[in-house]
Amino acid sequence: MVTELRCSEPGCPPLETVIAILSENGNRQHKLHKSIEEVAEDDVRRLAAATVLSIGPAKPEKGEN
C-alpha cells in the first residue's frame, strides 16, 4: 500500500510517501521524505530488501517449491 501525506507541522517535510509492506511474517511501514512522483524503483527495491532482512522471505504457498 502506498500513500502520499502532506504535513504542515514545523520540522516535517511538506510531502512524504508512506509504503506499507504487508506480509504474513509481519507488516512494515517505511516513510520516504519525497513525493510519490519522486520515488524511484531503487527506493522501492531498497525497502523490499530491508523488509526481507528484518522479517525474512515470504513463506511459499502450498504446492509451491
Side-chain angles (χ1 to χ4, degrees):
M1 178 179 356
V2 179
T3 307
E4 183 180 78
L5 302 173
R6 292 195 180 279
C7 181
S8 59
E9 295 180 24
C12 74
L15 286 176
E16 73 178 7
T17 300
V18 179
I19 299 177
I21 300 176
L22 310 176
S23 166
E24 63 184 36
N25 294 349
N27 302 332
R28 293 292 184 271
Q29 181 173 298
H30 303 277
K31 295 181 181 181
L32 300 171
H33 294 163
K34 51 177 88 175
S35 70
I36 286 176
E37 291 178 351
E38 296 173 304
V39 174
E41 183 177 339
D42 285 343
D43 295 319
V44 177
R45 287 182 186 274
R46 267 194 310 278
L47 296 178
T51 299
V52 169
L53 288 174
S54 68
I55 64 174
K59 296 177 185 173
E61 296 289 325
K62 289 184 179 181
E64 288 185 5
N65 292 333

